[in-house]
Amino acid sequence: MACCKGGDNGETFVNPVIKYLMFFFNLFFWLVGGAMIGVGAWAYVEKEALNTSGDSDIQNIYDILFDVTIVIICLGIIIFLLGYAGCVGALRENTCLLKTFSICLIVLFLLEVIGAIVAFVFSDEITKGLKTVLKDEAIVRYRDDINLQNLIDFLQESLGCCGVGDQGYNEWSLNPYFNCTDDNPSSERCAVPFSCCVKQNNIEAGMINTMCGFGAQNHPSVIEAATQVYTEGCVETFIKLGKDNLVVIGAVAVGLAVPQLLGIFLSRVLASQVEDQRSRWV
């Protein structure tokens, strides 16, 4: 039985509702992906303009993982290509693009599920490894990448934390600018970023004191340091926040899964209808 009326013989097996729902669904993500590529490229060019040394910033994998602009560009490319395959595949009734789109979504969805399971089963090992990587890479690079610096400041301010792991604010001594050794000539010696401060506007209301973290590592005890800066590492703070908001995390997980499952369903149904339609022409 034909699905809908239309065509040369008065009927078609391609449901226009599914076809254009698939089209507009992917058009949105296609545009989002393009915007992410544009914003990421603009931010990268602006950052490179500040690189007076002329040397390449990419030396190893961590230079990519901790470069916010490159991460945004890579995510944008993935979303853009998937959006293109789904959008054009639906509009042109191209089964090759539709199947490619559904297979890619299935692979991504399975990777997300596997990643979630691995993170749950090996949570302690992953947490330990994450702390090590962030201490050795993110904290050390804080002053070298303005985008990474802004991201770290945002997280520390939002979560009310300082540093990464168990040593909290004292881990900023790993950064050459904040290192607390006697032979460090930096004016920021023994300091922490202003985003660690409990009160950033301790000079005048509405004005951020970027030097509010100076001398924070000189406090003889954590209790005294807590009067000036946050003392707990951000990884532990984030884990506690997650445990206190499991419902929100579940809602976010569902919110991420539903569009992917919907995309897989629509693309498979539409591809099947197109193939059914073409089989009638043979």
Side-chain angles (χ1 to χ4, degrees):
M1 182 179 294
C3 173
C4 309
K5 297 297 180 182
D8 295 336
N9 59 355
E11 58 184 34
T12 176
F13 285 85
V14 178
N15 190 318
V17 175
I18 294 179
K19 174 179 178 178
Y20 288 104
L21 181 60
M22 179 74 179
F23 170 75
F24 287 111
F25 175 80
N26 285 281
L27 178 62
F28 170 76
F29 287 102
W30 191 10
L31 296 176
V32 169
M36 290 178 66
I37 295 173
V39 170
W42 171 78
Y44 184 82
V45 170
E46 289 294 310
K47 185 187 70 171
E48 286 298 301
L50 299 176
N51 183 10
T52 57
S53 65
D55 298 329
S56 174
D57 290 335
I58 303 176
Q59 303 293 335
N60 53 54
I61 186 63
Y62 293 116
D63 291 329
I64 297 176
L65 294 177
F66 288 100
D67 191 317
V68 181
T69 59
I70 294 180
V71 172
I72 291 176
I73 292 174
C74 291
L75 289 176
I77 290 174
I78 294 173
I79 295 173
F80 182 85
L81 292 177
L82 282 175
Y84 171 83
C87 186
V88 177
L91 186 64
R92 303 297 298 174
E93 298 182 4
N94 188 308
T95 56
C96 180
L97 287 176
L98 289 173
K99 289 181 179 180
T100 300
F101 173 80
S102 64
I103 291 173
C104 288
L105 275 189
I106 291 173
V107 171
L108 285 176
F109 183 75
L110 290 177
L111 289 176
E112 291 169 5
V113 173
I114 294 173
I117 295 173
V118 170
F120 178 78
V121 175
F122 301 100
S123 58
D124 293 338
E125 292 81 356
I126 292 176
T127 299
K128 183 178 179 181
L130 181 62
K131 289 179 181 178
T132 301
V133 171
L134 290 177
K135 284 192 294 185
D136 295 343
E137 300 296 334
I139 285 184
V140 172
R141 298 166 185 262
Y142 177 77
R143 287 295 189 209
D144 301 331
D145 187 332
I146 187 63
N147 296 308
L148 178 62
Q149 178 178 317
N150 290 334
L151 177 60
I152 292 175
D153 286 336
F154 171 77
L155 291 174
Q156 292 190 147
E157 286 180 294
S158 302
L159 297 176
C161 57
C162 187
V164 174
D166 302 328
Q167 295 178 316
Y169 69 102
N170 282 319
E171 290 172 347
W172 279 106
S173 192
L174 295 172
N175 185 283
Y177 293 93
F178 302 127
N179 186 276
C180 214
T181 54
D182 294 333
D183 59 348
N184 184 9
S186 173
S187 61
E188 296 181 303
R189 176 181 171 272
C190 294
V192 296
F194 74 92
S195 53
C196 286
C197 295
V198 176
K199 295 181 180 180
Q200 296 179 6
N201 56 349
N202 56 4
I203 296 180
E204 182 179 342
M207 179 181 295
I208 295 178
N209 176 15
T210 57
M211 300 174 65
C212 62
F214 277 43
Q217 298 182 59
N218 284 328
H219 290 292
S221 68
V222 175
I223 296 177
E224 291 187 23
T227 62
Q228 181 183 359
V229 298
Y230 301 114
T231 57
E232 187 174 51
C234 290
V235 172
E236 293 299 329
T237 302
F238 185 78
I239 291 175
K240 290 180 181 178
L241 184 65
K243 291 180 178 179
D244 293 337
N245 295 273
L246 292 177
V247 175
V248 175
I249 293 177
V252 172
V254 172
L256 292 174
V258 168
Q260 295 178 70
L261 294 175
L262 180 61
I264 294 171
F265 172 76
L266 291 177
S267 60
R268 299 301 295 181
V269 170
L270 183 57
S272 177
Q273 290 181 351
V274 172
E275 290 178 341
D276 198 10
Q277 172 77 5
R278 290 177 179 175
S279 67
R280 298 299 192 275
W281 295 345
V282 178

